[in-house]
Amino acid sequence: MRRPVLLVGLLVVLISMLFVGNAALAKPATGNNSISAQKCQKGGYALLAKSTSPDVKFTSETACTSFAAGGGTIVPFVPSTATPTITNTPVPPTDTPVPPTDTPVPTATPGPCLGLTQGYWKFNTDHWPASHPTTQTLQAVFDVPDQMLLDDTTLLEVLNLAITGRPEVALLREAVAALLNAATPGMSYALTEEQVIDQVNTALAGGATAMQTLTVTLDGYNNAGCPTFPFV
């Protein structure tokens, strides 16, 4: 009768061991419940990540279930929101030459030659008009009173005379420049030769005040300017 008892006892032991083994195999994952671990299956791991690294998803089902079984917390995968670093690719320089422009620059047209000073005519005797050479005397052109003692003085010589205290010399120096300006072809002088001669003769006969007044007038005409200097 003892053999059946032993068999019954052995059977009880085997049943107990089988129950304990199945219980161990059925142990749920710690930290995550079995439902979380099941999410790793059938490709679900691709949408899951560790709670410590939510922006790094699992790469395999095994890694996912192992982490859940070890007590790790599984959370939904959240992509990183970090701003990507933008690298500026340098643009190679172009060697295409820029063609030059051939647009001509307009040049201003010079104005007329209105008058040159006595100083110009004094130092540019080669520009004197042929009708009035440097050797021509004052008396050959103007009606110079005899008491002035200038009858035989040439047109060039009077330009070198001192004018201090001598209004007639000051006038005749400006008169010579005015005469040459008026006689030069192409010059747009304010007076003609005849006008210059007539006005000078009148002033010489009229006294100091008349001579001084005409000297100032002729000096203004002679300083009118000549953009195309030298004129000839």
Side-chain angles (χ1 to χ4, degrees):
M1 295 297 293
R2 296 184 63 181
R3 183 174 296 177
V5 174
L6 291 174
L7 292 174
V8 171
L10 182 58
L11 181 60
V12 171
V13 172
L14 292 174
I15 293 173
S16 298
M17 291 178 64
L18 180 61
F19 176 82
V20 172
N22 290 336
L25 292 174
K27 180 182 178 181
T30 60
N32 275 314
N33 56 34
S34 59
I35 297 176
S36 296
Q38 292 172 3
K39 291 181 180 180
C40 297
Q41 301 174 4
K42 296 182 180 179
Y45 68 87
L47 302 176
L48 301 174
K50 300 177 183 179
S51 60
T52 55
S53 302
D55 58 343
V56 180
K57 59 185 177 181
F58 290 107
T59 57
S60 66
E61 180 180 333
T62 301
C64 182
T65 54
S66 297
F67 180 79
T73 302
I74 296 176
V75 296
F77 167 71
V78 180
S80 175
T81 58
T83 303
T85 302
I86 300 175
T87 57
N88 295 323
T89 304
V91 179
T94 58
D95 296 327
T96 304
V98 179
T101 58
D102 296 328
T103 303
V105 178
T107 56
T109 302
C113 195
L114 302 177
L116 293 169
T117 66
Q118 55 175 295
Y120 172 82
W121 295 115
K122 176 180 177 180
F123 296 106
N124 292 275
T125 56
D126 56 327
H127 293 167
W128 285 36
S131 59
H132 296 289
T134 59
T135 56
Q136 188 175 36
T137 64
L138 291 173
Q139 188 60 39
V141 180
F142 303 106
D143 186 8
V144 182
D146 294 339
Q147 65 269 26
M148 294 181 180
L149 304 177
L150 295 171
D151 289 354
D152 297 328
T153 303
T154 66
L155 299 183
L156 179 60
E157 287 173 342
V158 76
L159 295 178
N160 291 283
L161 292 180
I163 63 175
T164 304
R166 301 186 66 182
E168 69 278 8
V169 174
L171 172 59
L172 287 170
R173 287 176 55 164
E174 294 295 344
V176 169
L179 181 69
L180 298 176
N181 283 326
T184 299
M187 181 80 75
S188 298
Y189 194 63
L191 302 174
T192 64
E193 289 185 72
E194 291 75 12
Q195 288 174 327
V196 171
I197 294 171
D198 289 343
Q199 292 184 22
V200 170
N201 289 340
T202 300
L204 288 172
T209 301
M211 289 187 285
Q212 291 170 352
T213 299
L214 184 57
T215 298
V216 173
T217 300
L218 295 180
D219 179 66
Y221 293 157
N222 295 337
N223 281 276
C226 185
T228 55
F229 180 86
F231 178 66
V232 291

